[in-house]
């Protein structure tokens, strides 16, 4: 049953912070126009109150931005009570905001442009902030700017579904885009045990001509971004970037060519790549199994073989750290594939139900048997992954992204 609705052409991200898990951030989508043909853009935070009979979600924070957003991610960065919001733009820039300051007052930055060259020269237009919202802490400074930083590293547009915060080492953000660039090589990687694996100054990885960057947001005002080397020739762009939820230095990247590459940030090398055996799919979205597996110290120290060492320490034959789901946006083959990385010769399971290409996937973190998918056929389907069947089929508007709430 429909609980709430919001009329927006926007990218969305739920708050990952437990005490504010019912907050939803929306940022005006690039390539879209509202009913009034207004070209303005904003970043808003809305509140979900299921006890309220109203179908609307009130706006509890808002900031105006000059450019529309390609993708939006919300991470639980440990030093800030509401984490961090990151948005990618068609210019290749990524901006980082403090949600706490957006929640406590509205801030207009109409002159802001997401480019590094203007970051030190423009002046923000400040408007008198609104009164703080009940139950929310006052900002650290009344005139503080919610925008923390804007940095350009990508030379091509940041792709939709290509921003993802690391769920274990929460100061890390992965991003993907098209085209290639050459950046300084990273310093040597320092490692310890378990989830305390230190990616300190972080890394950046390349998938052919499509670039993946790893951003260390320990200091979000001056993020560290590096790359291990030059890109290799290819013509395919990144379509999706997602972190493994059990091993903090394992990240997956999908490209429109259909290939999925799994990278190890310790060794700065891909440890495997796979694709549909029939070559009939164009991979649009990927998602890892949402459950976290406790990794032993032996596995944590295994370097390039860490994902496979998990198998040796697993108590059962099915280890969720290996499970990844891919979705095809090809209208001729709108299929969802469930892969077990211990055998990439063919998918372990197929989910069929969409009649046109699939836009997005979201694997429920509270119940790993549930998966949401949205497609170009204007349908959002809830699947039972274990049984391989569709549980519910909802008609939606075009261009819908499916995301599940963590609460």
């Amino acid at each position: 049953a429909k609980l709430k609705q919001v009329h927006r052409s926007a990218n969305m991200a739920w708050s990952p912070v437990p005490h504010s898990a019912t907050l939803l951030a929306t940022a005006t989508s690039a390539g879209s126009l509202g009913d009034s043909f207004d070209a303005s853009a904003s970043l808003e935070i809305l509140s979900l109150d299921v006890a309220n009979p109203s179908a609307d979600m009130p706006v509890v924070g808002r900031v105006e931005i000059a450019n529309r957003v390609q993708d939006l991610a919300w991470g639980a960065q440990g030093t800030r009570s509401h984490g961090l919001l990151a948005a990618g733009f068609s210019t290749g820039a990524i901006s980082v905001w403090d949600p706490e300051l957006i929640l406590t007052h509205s801030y207009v930055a109409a002159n802001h442009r997401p480019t590094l060259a203007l970051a030190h020269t423009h002046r923000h237009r400040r408007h008198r902030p609104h009164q703080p919202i009940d139950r929310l802490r006052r900002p650290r400074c009344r005139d503080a700017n919610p925008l923390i930083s804007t940095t350009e590293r990508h030379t091509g547009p940041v792709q939709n579904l290509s921003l993802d915060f690391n769920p274990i080492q929460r100061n890390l953000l992965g991003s993907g885009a098209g085209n290639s660039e050459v950046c300084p090589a990273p310093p040597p990687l320092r490692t310890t045990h378990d989830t305390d694996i230190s990616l300190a100054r972080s890394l950046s990885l390349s998938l052919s001509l499509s670039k993946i960057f790893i951003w260390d947001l320990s200091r979000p005002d001056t993020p560290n971004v590096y790359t291990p080397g030059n890109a290799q020739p290819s013509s395919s762009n990144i379509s999706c970037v997602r972190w493994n939820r059990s091993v903090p230095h394992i990240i997956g990247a999908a490209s429109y060519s259909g290939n999925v590459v799994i990278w190890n940030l310790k060794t700065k090398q891909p440890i495997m790549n796979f694709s549909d055996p029939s070559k009939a799919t164009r991979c649009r979205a990927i998602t890892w199994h949402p459950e976290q597996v406790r990794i032993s110290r032996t596995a944590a120290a295994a370097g390039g073989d860490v994902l496979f060492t998990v198998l040796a320490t697993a108590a059962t034959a099915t280890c969720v750290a290996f499970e990844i789901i891919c979705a095809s946006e090809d209208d001729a083959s709108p299929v969802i594939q469930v892969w077990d990385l211990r055998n990439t010769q063919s998918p372990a399971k197929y989910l069929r139900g969409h009649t046109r290409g699939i836009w997005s996937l979201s694997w429920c973190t509270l119940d790993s048997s549930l998966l949401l998918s949205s497609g170009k056929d204007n349908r959002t389907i809830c699947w039972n992954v274990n049984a391989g069947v569709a549980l519910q089929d909802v008609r939606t508007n075009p261009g819908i992204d499916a995301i599940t709430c963590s609460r």
Side-chain angles (χ1 to χ4, degrees), residues 335-348:
V335 64
I336 298 172
Q337 299 174 335
V338 183
W339 291 82
D340 186 330
L341 297 187
R342 294 167 293 181
N343 178 15
T344 56
Q345 297 299 312
S346 62

Side-chain angles (χ1 to χ4, degrees), residues 166-331:
N166 191 311
I168 301 173
Q169 198 156 342
R170 297 175 178 178
N171 60 300
L172 299 181
L173 171 73
S175 68
N179 301 329
S180 62
E181 52 271 326
V182 180
C183 294
L189 184 68
R190 295 179 294 133
T191 60
T192 55
H193 296 298
D194 298 328
T195 59
D196 295 328
I197 296 169
S198 174
L199 298 182
R201 291 174 62 84
S202 183
L203 296 173
S204 169
L205 303 173
S206 61
L207 174 60
S208 301
L209 282 181
S210 306
K211 183 63 67 174
I212 306 170
F213 281 116
I214 310 299
W215 306 66
D216 185 351
L217 299 177
S218 299
R219 296 183 60 186
D221 55 334
T222 55
N224 288 318
V225 190
Y226 298 94
T227 182
N230 298 337
Q232 300 297 319
S234 178
S235 59
S236 183
N237 292 333
I238 292 290
S239 60
C240 188
V241 173
R242 291 293 182 263
W243 293 95
N244 187 282
R245 297 192 62 84
S246 296
V247 187
H249 52 275
I250 299 295
I251 190 170
S255 65
Y256 287 107
S257 66
N259 289 324
V260 178
V261 180
I262 310 300
W263 292 88
N264 186 328
L265 301 193
K266 280 186 177 181
T267 62
K268 312 172 200 175
Q269 295 291 334
I271 56 175
M272 68 163 51
N273 68 83
F274 62 93
S275 61
D276 177 45
S278 66
K279 306 296 182 184
T281 63
R282 294 171 51 197
C283 190
R284 162 72 177 184
I286 59 174
T287 181
W288 293 91
H289 196 288
E291 293 182 10
Q292 290 186 355
V293 177
R294 179 69 175 175
I295 306 300
S296 70
R297 293 182 177 226
T298 301
D305 296 327
V306 65
L307 194 59
F308 301 97
T309 308
V310 175
L311 176 60
T313 61
T316 64
T318 57
C319 183
V320 297
F322 291 91
E323 294 184 23
I324 188 170
I325 294 180
C326 307
S328 170
E329 75 161 356
D330 193 337
D331 290 345

Side-chain angles (χ1 to χ4, degrees), residues 84-116:
L84 293 173
L85 276 166
F89 297 90
S90 60
T91 61
I94 291 179
S95 293
V96 180
W97 284 272
D98 186 340
E100 180 184 359
L101 297 182
I102 299 176
L103 286 167
T104 49
H105 69 279
S106 297
Y107 186 92
V108 178
N111 292 333
H112 168 62
R113 297 290 189 276
T115 60
L116 186 62

Side-chain angles (χ1 to χ4, degrees), residues 109-189:
N111 292 333
H112 168 62
R113 297 290 189 276
T115 60
L116 186 62
L118 297 179
H120 302 290
T121 60
H122 70 266
R123 292 187 178 182
H124 298 288
R125 293 172 54 198
R126 285 184 169 84
H127 289 234
R128 187 173 64 182
H130 295 170
Q131 293 298 319
I133 299 170
D134 292 342
R135 301 184 306 278
L136 294 177
R137 191 173 60 184
R138 290 179 178 270
R140 289 178 291 274
C141 175
R142 182 176 178 82
D143 292 326
N145 188 347
L147 178 65
I148 301 173
S149 64
T150 295
T151 311
E152 277 193 357
R153 285 296 182 267
H154 296 290
T155 59
V158 176
Q159 300 293 309
N160 181 246
L161 305 182
S162 66
L163 289 181
D164 192 35
F165 278 94
N166 191 311
I168 301 173
Q169 198 156 342
R170 297 175 178 178
N171 60 300
L172 299 181
L173 171 73
S175 68
N179 301 329
S180 62
E181 52 271 326
V182 180
C183 294
L189 184 68

